[in-house]
Amino acid sequence: MAPVNPLANWEKVGDSFYRKIPVYDAIFDEDVELENYIVAGAPYGGAIALYRDESKPFRLRDSQSSRTSIEIYSCSGKHINTINGEQATIRGLGWSDKEELLVVFEDGTVRRYFGLDGEFTSFSLGNGAEEYGVRACQFWASGLVVLLSNNQLIAVSKYDEPRPRLLAPCPEGEVSSWSLIPPAHTLSRSVEVLLAVDKTVFLVDTTEAEDKILQDGPFKHVSVSPTGRLVALFTSEGKLWIVSNDFQSKLSEYDSKSRVAPSSVDWCGDDAVILAWEDEIHLVGSNGTASKYYYDGRVHVIPEMDGVRLITNDTCEFLHKVHDVTQEIFRLGSSSPASVLLDSVDQLEKKSPKADENIQRIRSSLPSAVDACIKAAGYEFDSYWQKRLLKAASFGKSVLELYNSDDFVEMTEKLRVLTAARDYQVGLPISYEQYLRLTPEGLIERLISRHEYLLAIRVSEYLQIPADRIYVHWASQKVRVSTVDDEAVCKLIVQRLDGKPGISFEVIAQTAYDEGRSHLATQLLNHEPRAGKQVPLLLNMEEDEMALDKAIESGDDDLVNYVLLHMKSKLPLASFFRMINTRPMASALVETDARGQDTELLKDLYYQDDRPVEGSNVLLSEALQATDPQRKTEKLHLASRLLSDSKDPTVMLHQKLVSEASQLLKAQESLDKDLADHNEFLGLSLNETIFRLVRAGYGKRAHKMQAEFKMPEKTYWWLRLRALVAKRDWGELEELGKNKKSPIGWEAFYNEVLGAGNTKLASIFIPKCTHLPVADRIEMWVKCGMIVKAGEEAQKAKDVNTLELLRNKASGPAITEIERMINQLRPRK
Amino acid sequence: MMAPLGDADHCRDKARKDLVALLEGARGKKNLVISQELAGPVGLFVKFSVLQEYGVDRVFLLENANIDSSQRNVVFLVRGEKAQHVRTVAEQVKRLRTNGNVEHEITIIFAPRRTLVSNAVLEEAGIIGDVNIAELPLYFLPLEQDILSLELDDAFSDLYLNKDPGCIFHSAKALMGIQQKHGYFPRIVGKGDNARRLADLLLRMRKELDAEESSGLADPSARGLLPSADTENLIIIDRDVDFGTPLLTQLTYEGLIDEYVGIKNNQADVDTSIVGQAPTPQSQESSKTPQQAKQGLKRKIQLDASDTLFNQLRDANFAIVGDILNKVARRLENEYETRHSAKTTNELRDFVNKLPTYQLEHQSLRIHTNLAEEIMRLTRSETFRKVLEVQQNNAAGADPTYQHETIEELIARDVPLKSILRLLCLESCMSGGLRPRDLENFKRQVVQAYGHQHLLTFWALERMELLQPRSSATTMLLPTSGAQAGTKTNYGYLRKNLRLVIEEVSEKDPNDISYVYSGFAPLSVRLVQCVLQKPYILSLIKGGSPAASVNNASTASPGWLGFEDVVKSARGSTFSLVQKGDDKAVRARQTLSGNAATKTVYVFFLGGITFTEIAALRFIAAQEAPRRRIIICTTGVISGDRMMDVAIEKGSFSKAE
């Protein structure tokens, strides 16, 4: 095959060259009348959706039903699927980045088809869409904006969790055209819309509609360039304006000399605009230069990020700007190093010495020439020129001593993949730049949705990308279409996927379940390694118990809680309890949750589980929360009764203490009645009660309480001591000190009284501390400031050293006293 | 090797970036409503001024329920795992909807993840479609360069009281984050049943990640995860292995501040009567409760390594804090005096340049001197001495019944309930329970002294296995009764075989971790030493009891090797798991990166860690410094008081409203 001259279809527009590459031919049957269809193409060379344009008259054929349907084709014209539409009128057809088809109906329903298989989810736009009806819609990579007939705009920015949001209200007037700016290119980072109303254009976002104040409308078309920097406006006079996105400066103007507005205005890359009429295309470049193409039939334009696809009955073409690298190599008379390098391959084949001459000439810039050839190979669609360029690169790098061949190797890999994808059997006319944007994973995804499993696996192996998704998709498809029995399908799938890492059996099982084969689903689920993933499906399948077990296995408390929530609302209480009481984690979570919210449930649970102490504790908590004393005692009574049957000594103690609590409350109530005018004692602890009684001078009652509640003598003494000190009742304390013995010793008395600052009274207790060592007692005297007494103590112990120390501390007459003692002890010389 | 950002900085930066990005998502000015338990942690990685830069106008606490309509945008930040909080959010959203005439734009940010239950709650409330929902993957938060905390306030109560393993899952997720950054922990060593559960979860998650990874769901950077070359291992210690240690009064400076003032998210609220007013009355968070003003103003004191003086003091035994403070005071004085000797202009300029640091140091000196004096006052009190005496006797293994009289006296003297319960629990933990008769006796006394509601407290303590009757079978845990894989930690045996008690430790110039409790080494950290410092422990034991089985374990012996028998006497499962990777890949990586000189050891305390244990671990880290780096991870910082707080019933019979 003779190589096509690479310059053959170049066209100079302004300063740049554009070229139109025929990718496929003979796409559609002759009887598909393209002019009667609305065509929407998915980005990155994706599928094309055809929908009958109802505004066009068409011949009614007997075979065609009146039902509208959407046909999906590949770019090479291979029929992929037919989606049967509903009766409702379709107002918009668009694709997302992930090749999901979005269909917007007049009543505001949006259907999202994924995977080209006809499976869909749908959501409603709301916000008055039903009332007013959808007029038109526009799409971007991950969202859409809908224009209602009342000029309201509704935006949906993601499809996974669609949340239709009303944009700012628009001014009244006739909307002649509109366009959206995707969130990635706006300042607000959310979608904005250009609305051509009457003579001007409004920029509408979520908060306001800003009038750009133009006078030359109405504009028949508004279109925003792929990077959002430029806007193309088509006026009613047939002029095309390119303006900056702030509408401040007009960059160029082009007169189409057509009274009829074009059917579409699209951007081809960021610097040219395509005007399309029925069978005519104007490519408008910078400064109003243009180039025109004519066709035999209707031509449809599908914009891409780096060019446009042109679809006619016969051909699919890719029109794009010639890349600088390519231009540099192939332009007539080019003498760039890369061009010379390419030439030397020719010379080499002719065995001409000029090959070497050439190389020597460009020696200094050889590395960049090699790079350029590699890069240019990527932009070529023709394999002849790809090979040629790579050969040149290979020749060039063989001359170089040191060259990193990674780019070269990667490019060959990419080209192989691209060639496979562009094959007409597959029909993905993806350009090199689009492939970079789509990523290899994205490409594989597309292959999967076309059921090109073998190719997908080959590509993933070639590029070393995990292939499990392909297997899973294959298996799901198998589940869908196979008619053999469950066992056989499961066996087949498991066998085939055995040893493949990362297979998500959950997805396959979900498919099986959706197909109504729940037995198969259960079987498949057993192979899923991620316990957590199985839970939602198991719940759907009403396999609650298994779901609970799997949730517990996953260790994720959220999953367990979720399953429990589900089960609690579904099961009768008794079976719910049965379900959880063998699973400690589950019952712990139920208990924790119920403790805050649902004490009745808790009581039932403890009753059923025969845990009387816990049950009684719930009542005790309720008693604490009750405000009315009557209620408190009632609850306490109930709490104590729950435990009355037990023989366990700890439980018996517990029960006794619970009833003691109500006994105490009763006693305090009568104290309040007798002694205080408001609730002073009610609810205090026993110790506190007695402390306050003593402090208030009701010693007798305190004693009675002590006896009634069998308070240990020691505790009682401590309380009395502290209360009396607090009361500063020195007399009573002295009275106490007359006791022969104190259960808490006398040191405590000394300390407390001293702490309260009464040294005189404190000192009374010192002689009673007979069990303490002398040194301590001396210290105690000193603390009371009674040096002499301390001295006496030391004298008794015949401790001269201490006495001498004491002498230093003493003052006034005490000094002589101490000295006297020292002298007594120390024998005169 | 290039040193990338440390884990702490990495966590901080990531958390800040994530939060800020989410705040940016809500355009324009907004009000932020945050749940109490997240307010502190958020403060660890982002300043209020930064929030303001991103349009936050005012901050409200979720619990106060006082969000108003002053801004159209309202952002809620709550934990997704807390159904109760999500319900509160739903209520407040509904109220915002009905009240007022502003149409609100509401965003709910769930940290660390959006849960199915919260979805269900929002759905039930009928608002799920009307609010923006986002996730803030908040896991480890850096308290210091060497401490990563999950700052889960409820971890302790969830684990041991409610038996809710949610925080184990949370921890596993957090540790997976570390593994995704550094590669798999080559070995996971651990002690305790919950620790085992955590390790199992980690293994399971790794398997699941492998599955997910190859299915292209995980982000591509995580692909082909291998055992890490610069990580040595992960040591997980379950808190219930060593309940005893945190019950003791902490005796390091930071520990004592925590005991008496309380440290939360690196901050302590100290009474202004102690530390004086804040120097510049900054307009802090907008809402100041009037109640605070009434009971003496509190001043927030930042306690972290940015304060160099505090950094010197924090891990020192309190006994020597006074000395250090004096020394620093003298040095500052001297430095300040140099201004007189400054003759040349250069010298003067030097001095002026140093002035700001000097002033900062001086300020910090004043704060810490005051704080230390206050603590000194408290430690001199008679009750403190008595409490400490009981604790130390228990720790040393003296017959606990001799202490009972003191405890009874303390009850009668109405010391705070927490202190009493700590003493009782300590005895129970250390000697395998109280004699039933004693326990009954104490129950009655405590209930009479502090109120009958504490029957619930006792029940909770029993459920947590902190305070139990001694079962007739295990009489007292004798030092000799050997290793039975126990449901209880046998302190008696371990005290002897791991030399927990070292009487002669120097507080000033410590040579053993026991300095943090003035003579008692935290068992939890001893266990870590059994993994990291085998020769040291062996030499310790040799000095003590020759009977102990001494394998000549070399330094290289991994896991518990050499100590299996000893460790068995502590409660719960003992394990050491190796995470293997593709051998070829591992070797390739090793040759590529060389053997990293410093290997990191992650020590994870599940259920909380005390400041004393942190100090002890830092002490080990300093010894291991050139070879190993120790990063302390935990669910949160705990203290004996906080443990008791979990159990103590808050209601009372008086005036319940």
PDB file of all heavy atoms in Angstrom, chain A residues 161 163 466 468 553 556 558 627 660 685-687 722, chain B residues 87 113-114 116 132 204 214-215 412 448-449 452 656:
ATOM      1  N   GLU A 161     -24.546  10.823  43.382  1.00  0.00           N
ATOM      2  CA  GLU A 161     -25.554  11.271  44.331  1.00  0.00           C
ATOM      3  C   GLU A 161     -26.161  12.540  43.774  1.00  0.00           C
ATOM      4  O   GLU A 161     -25.806  13.647  44.170  1.00  0.00           O
ATOM      5  CB  GLU A 161     -24.920  11.558  45.686  1.00  0.00           C
ATOM      6  CG  GLU A 161     -24.902  10.366  46.574  1.00  0.00           C
ATOM      7  CD  GLU A 161     -24.330  10.692  47.934  1.00  0.00           C
ATOM      8  OE1 GLU A 161     -24.547  11.810  48.422  1.00  0.00           O
ATOM      9  OE2 GLU A 161     -23.664   9.819  48.483  1.00  0.00           O
ATOM     10  N   ARG A 163     -27.873  15.759  43.100  1.00  0.00           N
ATOM     11  CA  ARG A 163     -28.606  16.738  43.901  1.00  0.00           C
ATOM     12  C   ARG A 163     -28.933  17.920  43.018  1.00  0.00           C
ATOM     13  O   ARG A 163     -28.139  18.850  42.886  1.00  0.00           O
ATOM     14  CB  ARG A 163     -27.765  17.203  45.092  1.00  0.00           C
ATOM     15  CG  ARG A 163     -27.557  16.130  46.107  1.00  0.00           C
ATOM     16  CD  ARG A 163     -27.702  16.621  47.513  1.00  0.00           C
ATOM     17  NE  ARG A 163     -26.733  17.624  47.888  1.00  0.00           N
ATOM     18  CZ  ARG A 163     -27.067  18.838  48.313  1.00  0.00           C
ATOM     19  NH1 ARG A 163     -28.325  19.212  48.373  1.00  0.00           N
ATOM     20  NH2 ARG A 163     -26.137  19.681  48.652  1.00  0.00           N
ATOM     21  N   PRO A 466      -4.123  -4.257  36.632  1.00  0.00           N
ATOM     22  CA  PRO A 466      -4.956  -5.333  37.175  1.00  0.00           C
ATOM     23  C   PRO A 466      -6.142  -5.631  36.274  1.00  0.00           C
ATOM     24  O   PRO A 466      -6.791  -4.727  35.751  1.00  0.00           O
ATOM     25  CB  PRO A 466      -5.424  -4.778  38.509  1.00  0.00           C
ATOM     26  CG  PRO A 466      -4.457  -3.739  38.859  1.00  0.00           C
ATOM     27  CD  PRO A 466      -3.875  -3.214  37.608  1.00  0.00           C
ATOM     28  N   ASP A 468      -8.732  -7.686  37.157  1.00  0.00           N
ATOM     29  CA  ASP A 468      -9.853  -8.317  37.855  1.00  0.00           C
ATOM     30  C   ASP A 468     -11.211  -7.759  37.467  1.00  0.00           C
ATOM     31  O   ASP A 468     -12.196  -8.481  37.419  1.00  0.00           O
ATOM     32  CB  ASP A 468      -9.654  -8.190  39.351  1.00  0.00           C
ATOM     33  CG  ASP A 468      -9.420  -6.772  39.755  1.00  0.00           C
ATOM     34  OD1 ASP A 468      -8.283  -6.314  39.671  1.00  0.00           O
ATOM     35  OD2 ASP A 468     -10.400  -6.090  40.102  1.00  0.00           O
ATOM     36  N   GLU A 553     -17.722 -10.162  61.665  1.00  0.00           N
ATOM     37  CA  GLU A 553     -16.424 -10.637  61.191  1.00  0.00           C
ATOM     38  C   GLU A 553     -15.570  -9.482  60.668  1.00  0.00           C
ATOM     39  O   GLU A 553     -14.363  -9.450  60.853  1.00  0.00           O
ATOM     40  CB  GLU A 553     -16.678 -11.647  60.079  1.00  0.00           C
ATOM     41  CG  GLU A 553     -15.548 -12.592  59.793  1.00  0.00           C
ATOM     42  CD  GLU A 553     -15.905 -13.475  58.605  1.00  0.00           C
ATOM     43  OE1 GLU A 553     -17.015 -14.061  58.593  1.00  0.00           O
ATOM     44  OE2 GLU A 553     -15.094 -13.535  57.682  1.00  0.00           O
ATOM     45  N   ASP A 556     -16.177  -3.996  61.721  1.00  0.00           N
ATOM     46  CA  ASP A 556     -16.618  -2.616  61.517  1.00  0.00           C
ATOM     47  C   ASP A 556     -17.886  -2.383  62.334  1.00  0.00           C
ATOM     48  O   ASP A 556     -18.937  -2.938  62.027  1.00  0.00           O
ATOM     49  CB  ASP A 556     -16.874  -2.410  60.023  1.00  0.00           C
ATOM     50  CG  ASP A 556     -17.233  -0.970  59.713  1.00  0.00           C
ATOM     51  OD1 ASP A 556     -17.553  -0.230  60.666  1.00  0.00           O
ATOM     52  OD2 ASP A 556     -17.199  -0.605  58.533  1.00  0.00           O
ATOM     53  N   ASP A 558     -19.755   0.074  62.542  1.00  0.00           N
ATOM     54  CA  ASP A 558     -20.817   0.739  61.796  1.00  0.00           C
ATOM     55  C   ASP A 558     -21.683  -0.278  61.062  1.00  0.00           C
ATOM     56  O   ASP A 558     -22.906  -0.207  61.086  1.00  0.00           O
ATOM     57  CB  ASP A 558     -20.211   1.732  60.815  1.00  0.00           C
ATOM     58  CG  ASP A 558     -21.256   2.361  59.919  1.00  0.00           C
ATOM     59  OD1 ASP A 558     -22.324   2.702  60.449  1.00  0.00           O
ATOM     60  OD2 ASP A 558     -21.009   2.489  58.719  1.00  0.00           O
ATOM     61  N   THR A 627     -37.662  13.074  89.412  1.00  0.00           N
ATOM     62  CA  THR A 627     -37.564  14.295  90.210  1.00  0.00           C
ATOM     63  C   THR A 627     -38.432  14.199  91.452  1.00  0.00           C
ATOM     64  O   THR A 627     -38.124  14.789  92.486  1.00  0.00           O
ATOM     65  CB  THR A 627     -38.022  15.500  89.382  1.00  0.00           C
ATOM     66  OG1 THR A 627     -39.177  15.110  88.637  1.00  0.00           O
ATOM     67  CG2 THR A 627     -36.924  15.962  88.446  1.00  0.00           C
ATOM     68  N   GLU A 660     -31.556  -0.010 101.284  1.00  0.00           N
ATOM     69  CA  GLU A 660     -31.032   0.984 102.227  1.00  0.00           C
ATOM     70  C   GLU A 660     -31.177   2.391 101.642  1.00  0.00           C
ATOM     71  O   GLU A 660     -31.467   3.345 102.352  1.00  0.00           O
ATOM     72  CB  GLU A 660     -29.560   0.680 102.515  1.00  0.00           C
ATOM     73  CG  GLU A 660     -28.995   1.504 103.645  1.00  0.00           C
ATOM     74  CD  GLU A 660     -27.517   1.183 103.861  1.00  0.00           C
ATOM     75  OE1 GLU A 660     -27.207   0.263 104.629  1.00  0.00           O
ATOM     76  OE2 GLU A 660     -26.669   1.867 103.243  1.00  0.00           O
ATOM     77  N   SER A 685     -25.723  11.849 100.851  1.00  0.00           N
ATOM     78  CA  SER A 685     -25.237  10.548 101.283  1.00  0.00           C
ATOM     79  C   SER A 685     -25.392  10.459 102.788  1.00  0.00           C
ATOM     80  O   SER A 685     -25.586  11.464 103.469  1.00  0.00           O
ATOM     81  CB  SER A 685     -23.778  10.371 100.879  1.00  0.00           C
ATOM     82  OG  SER A 685     -22.967  11.176 101.705  1.00  0.00           O
ATOM     83  N   LEU A 686     -25.263   9.246 103.293  1.00  0.00           N
ATOM     84  CA  LEU A 686     -25.435   9.053 104.724  1.00  0.00           C
ATOM     85  C   LEU A 686     -24.392   9.859 105.506  1.00  0.00           C
ATOM     86  O   LEU A 686     -24.718  10.555 106.466  1.00  0.00           O
ATOM     87  CB  LEU A 686     -25.317   7.562 105.052  1.00  0.00           C
ATOM     88  CG  LEU A 686     -25.422   7.208 106.528  1.00  0.00           C
ATOM     89  CD1 LEU A 686     -26.774   7.613 107.088  1.00  0.00           C
ATOM     90  CD2 LEU A 686     -25.164   5.734 106.760  1.00  0.00           C
ATOM     91  N   ASN A 687     -23.147   9.766 105.057  1.00  0.00           N
ATOM     92  CA  ASN A 687     -22.095  10.485 105.759  1.00  0.00           C
ATOM     93  C   ASN A 687     -22.367  11.984 105.792  1.00  0.00           C
ATOM     94  O   ASN A 687     -22.246  12.638 106.824  1.00  0.00           O
ATOM     95  CB  ASN A 687     -20.745  10.264 105.059  1.00  0.00           C
ATOM     96  CG  ASN A 687     -20.182   8.899 105.367  1.00  0.00           C
ATOM     97  OD1 ASN A 687     -20.920   8.016 105.821  1.00  0.00           O
ATOM     98  ND2 ASN A 687     -18.893   8.719 105.134  1.00  0.00           N
ATOM     99  N   ARG A 722     -14.914  16.086 112.244  1.00  0.00           N
ATOM    100  CA  ARG A 722     -14.841  17.072 111.162  1.00  0.00           C
ATOM    101  C   ARG A 722     -15.968  18.085 111.265  1.00  0.00           C
ATOM    102  O   ARG A 722     -15.782  19.287 111.046  1.00  0.00           O
ATOM    103  CB  ARG A 722     -14.879  16.370 109.806  1.00  0.00           C
ATOM    104  CG  ARG A 722     -13.519  15.738 109.442  1.00  0.00           C
ATOM    105  CD  ARG A 722     -13.622  14.924 108.179  1.00  0.00           C
ATOM    106  NE  ARG A 722     -14.434  15.563 107.179  1.00  0.00           N
ATOM    107  CZ  ARG A 722     -15.398  14.949 106.513  1.00  0.00           C
ATOM    108  NH1 ARG A 722     -15.649  13.680 106.729  1.00  0.00           N
ATOM    109  NH2 ARG A 722     -16.094  15.614 105.628  1.00  0.00           N
TER     110      ARG A 722
ATOM    111  N   ARG B  87     -27.916  12.402  65.285  1.00  0.00           N
ATOM    112  CA  ARG B  87     -29.313  12.747  65.554  1.00  0.00           C
ATOM    113  C   ARG B  87     -29.436  14.213  65.962  1.00  0.00           C
ATOM    114  O   ARG B  87     -30.331  14.923  65.520  1.00  0.00           O
ATOM    115  CB  ARG B  87     -29.876  11.859  66.662  1.00  0.00           C
ATOM    116  CG  ARG B  87     -30.333  10.524  66.118  1.00  0.00           C
ATOM    117  CD  ARG B  87     -30.959   9.644  67.191  1.00  0.00           C
ATOM    118  NE  ARG B  87     -30.828   8.265  66.763  1.00  0.00           N
ATOM    119  CZ  ARG B  87     -30.093   7.349  67.380  1.00  0.00           C
ATOM    120  NH1 ARG B  87     -29.460   7.646  68.487  1.00  0.00           N
ATOM    121  NH2 ARG B  87     -29.999   6.131  66.892  1.00  0.00           N
ATOM    122  N   ARG B 113     -15.325   9.153  58.949  1.00  0.00           N
ATOM    123  CA  ARG B 113     -15.939   8.560  57.766  1.00  0.00           C
ATOM    124  C   ARG B 113     -17.450   8.715  57.843  1.00  0.00           C
ATOM    125  O   ARG B 113     -18.022   8.867  58.920  1.00  0.00           O
ATOM    126  CB  ARG B 113     -15.590   7.077  57.659  1.00  0.00           C
ATOM    127  CG  ARG B 113     -16.014   6.301  58.886  1.00  0.00           C
ATOM    128  CD  ARG B 113     -15.630   4.860  58.778  1.00  0.00           C
ATOM    129  NE  ARG B 113     -16.021   4.156  59.988  1.00  0.00           N
ATOM    130  CZ  ARG B 113     -16.540   2.940  60.020  1.00  0.00           C
ATOM    131  NH1 ARG B 113     -16.731   2.286  58.916  1.00  0.00           N
ATOM    132  NH2 ARG B 113     -16.868   2.383  61.161  1.00  0.00           N
ATOM    133  N   ARG B 114     -18.057   8.626  56.710  1.00  0.00           N
ATOM    134  CA  ARG B 114     -19.505   8.640  56.638  1.00  0.00           C
ATOM    135  C   ARG B 114     -19.964   7.217  56.884  1.00  0.00           C
ATOM    136  O   ARG B 114     -19.450   6.283  56.291  1.00  0.00           O
ATOM    137  CB  ARG B 114     -19.893   9.082  55.240  1.00  0.00           C
ATOM    138  CG  ARG B 114     -21.372   9.115  55.000  1.00  0.00           C
ATOM    139  CD  ARG B 114     -21.629   9.579  53.582  1.00  0.00           C
ATOM    140  NE  ARG B 114     -23.052   9.618  53.321  1.00  0.00           N
ATOM    141  CZ  ARG B 114     -23.558  10.061  52.181  1.00  0.00           C
ATOM    142  NH1 ARG B 114     -22.761  10.485  51.229  1.00  0.00           N
ATOM    143  NH2 ARG B 114     -24.861  10.080  52.001  1.00  0.00           N
ATOM    144  N   LEU B 116     -22.972   4.113  57.510  1.00  0.00           N
ATOM    145  CA  LEU B 116     -24.296   3.678  57.073  1.00  0.00           C
ATOM    146  C   LEU B 116     -25.347   4.112  58.076  1.00  0.00           C
ATOM    147  O   LEU B 116     -26.454   4.498  57.715  1.00  0.00           O
ATOM    148  CB  LEU B 116     -24.319   2.155  56.938  1.00  0.00           C
ATOM    149  CG  LEU B 116     -23.406   1.594  55.848  1.00  0.00           C
ATOM    150  CD1 LEU B 116     -23.233   0.102  56.001  1.00  0.00           C
ATOM    151  CD2 LEU B 116     -23.998   1.916  54.483  1.00  0.00           C
ATOM    152  N   ASN B 132     -25.287  18.835  51.930  1.00  0.00           N
ATOM    153  CA  ASN B 132     -24.050  18.330  51.344  1.00  0.00           C
ATOM    154  C   ASN B 132     -23.376  17.464  52.387  1.00  0.00           C
ATOM    155  O   ASN B 132     -23.302  17.849  53.552  1.00  0.00           O
ATOM    156  CB  ASN B 132     -23.109  19.473  50.998  1.00  0.00           C
ATOM    157  CG  ASN B 132     -23.704  20.367  49.952  1.00  0.00           C
ATOM    158  OD1 ASN B 132     -24.089  19.896  48.886  1.00  0.00           O
ATOM    159  ND2 ASN B 132     -23.817  21.646  50.279  1.00  0.00           N
ATOM    160  N   ARG B 204      -6.547  -8.682  58.218  1.00  0.00           N
ATOM    161  CA  ARG B 204      -7.706  -8.784  57.341  1.00  0.00           C
ATOM    162  C   ARG B 204      -7.767  -7.592  56.383  1.00  0.00           C
ATOM    163  O   ARG B 204      -7.999  -7.745  55.188  1.00  0.00           O
ATOM    164  CB  ARG B 204      -8.963  -8.835  58.197  1.00  0.00           C
ATOM    165  CG  ARG B 204     -10.225  -8.547  57.458  1.00  0.00           C
ATOM    166  CD  ARG B 204     -11.404  -8.586  58.404  1.00  0.00           C
ATOM    167  NE  ARG B 204     -11.834  -9.947  58.637  1.00  0.00           N
ATOM    168  CZ  ARG B 204     -12.596 -10.626  57.787  1.00  0.00           C
ATOM    169  NH1 ARG B 204     -12.964 -10.084  56.664  1.00  0.00           N
ATOM    170  NH2 ARG B 204     -12.985 -11.844  58.047  1.00  0.00           N
ATOM    171  N   SER B 214      -5.871  -4.392  43.626  1.00  0.00           N
ATOM    172  CA  SER B 214      -5.738  -4.907  42.279  1.00  0.00           C
ATOM    173  C   SER B 214      -7.016  -4.678  41.499  1.00  0.00           C
ATOM    174  O   SER B 214      -7.038  -4.812  40.293  1.00  0.00           O
ATOM    175  CB  SER B 214      -5.387  -6.374  42.309  1.00  0.00           C
ATOM    176  OG  SER B 214      -6.159  -7.011  43.274  1.00  0.00           O
ATOM    177  N   SER B 215      -8.074  -4.329  42.190  1.00  0.00           N
ATOM    178  CA  SER B 215      -9.272  -4.029  41.424  1.00  0.00           C
ATOM    179  C   SER B 215      -9.334  -2.543  41.099  1.00  0.00           C
ATOM    180  O   SER B 215     -10.324  -2.036  40.627  1.00  0.00           O
ATOM    181  CB  SER B 215     -10.518  -4.452  42.195  1.00  0.00           C
ATOM    182  OG  SER B 215     -10.606  -3.730  43.385  1.00  0.00           O
ATOM    183  N   ALA B 412     -13.760   8.163 105.402  1.00  0.00           N
ATOM    184  CA  ALA B 412     -14.434   8.938 106.438  1.00  0.00           C
ATOM    185  C   ALA B 412     -14.057  10.412 106.344  1.00  0.00           C
ATOM    186  O   ALA B 412     -14.812  11.282 106.750  1.00  0.00           O
ATOM    187  CB  ALA B 412     -14.084   8.378 107.803  1.00  0.00           C
ATOM    188  N   GLN B 448     -22.329   4.562 101.551  1.00  0.00           N
ATOM    189  CA  GLN B 448     -22.845   5.428 102.615  1.00  0.00           C
ATOM    190  C   GLN B 448     -22.175   6.801 102.582  1.00  0.00           C
ATOM    191  O   GLN B 448     -22.800   7.806 102.877  1.00  0.00           O
ATOM    192  CB  GLN B 448     -22.622   4.761 103.970  1.00  0.00           C
ATOM    193  CG  GLN B 448     -23.530   3.553 104.147  1.00  0.00           C
ATOM    194  CD  GLN B 448     -23.525   3.030 105.562  1.00  0.00           C
ATOM    195  OE1 GLN B 448     -22.613   3.303 106.327  1.00  0.00           O
ATOM    196  NE2 GLN B 448     -24.553   2.273 105.907  1.00  0.00           N
ATOM    197  N   ALA B 449     -20.921   6.814 102.221  1.00  0.00           N
ATOM    198  CA  ALA B 449     -20.200   8.082 102.274  1.00  0.00           C
ATOM    199  C   ALA B 449     -20.476   8.955 101.060  1.00  0.00           C
ATOM    200  O   ALA B 449     -20.540  10.170 101.166  1.00  0.00           O
ATOM    201  CB  ALA B 449     -18.709   7.825 102.390  1.00  0.00           C
ATOM    202  N   HIS B 452     -25.807   6.411  97.413  1.00  0.00           N
ATOM    203  CA  HIS B 452     -26.155   5.054  96.978  1.00  0.00           C
ATOM    204  C   HIS B 452     -26.146   4.897  95.473  1.00  0.00           C
ATOM    205  O   HIS B 452     -26.206   3.790  94.960  1.00  0.00           O
ATOM    206  CB  HIS B 452     -27.509   4.649  97.559  1.00  0.00           C
ATOM    207  CG  HIS B 452     -27.434   4.271  98.990  1.00  0.00           C
ATOM    208  ND1 HIS B 452     -27.270   5.200  99.990  1.00  0.00           N
ATOM    209  CD2 HIS B 452     -27.447   3.076  99.613  1.00  0.00           C
ATOM    210  CE1 HIS B 452     -27.208   4.592 101.151  1.00  0.00           C
ATOM    211  NE2 HIS B 452     -27.314   3.301 100.960  1.00  0.00           N
ATOM    212  N   ALA B 656     -32.427  15.974  91.420  1.00  0.00           N
ATOM    213  CA  ALA B 656     -32.188  15.625  90.013  1.00  0.00           C
ATOM    214  C   ALA B 656     -33.140  16.425  89.154  1.00  0.00           C
ATOM    215  O   ALA B 656     -34.326  16.497  89.417  1.00  0.00           O
ATOM    216  CB  ALA B 656     -32.415  14.142  89.820  1.00  0.00           C
TER     217      ALA B 656
END
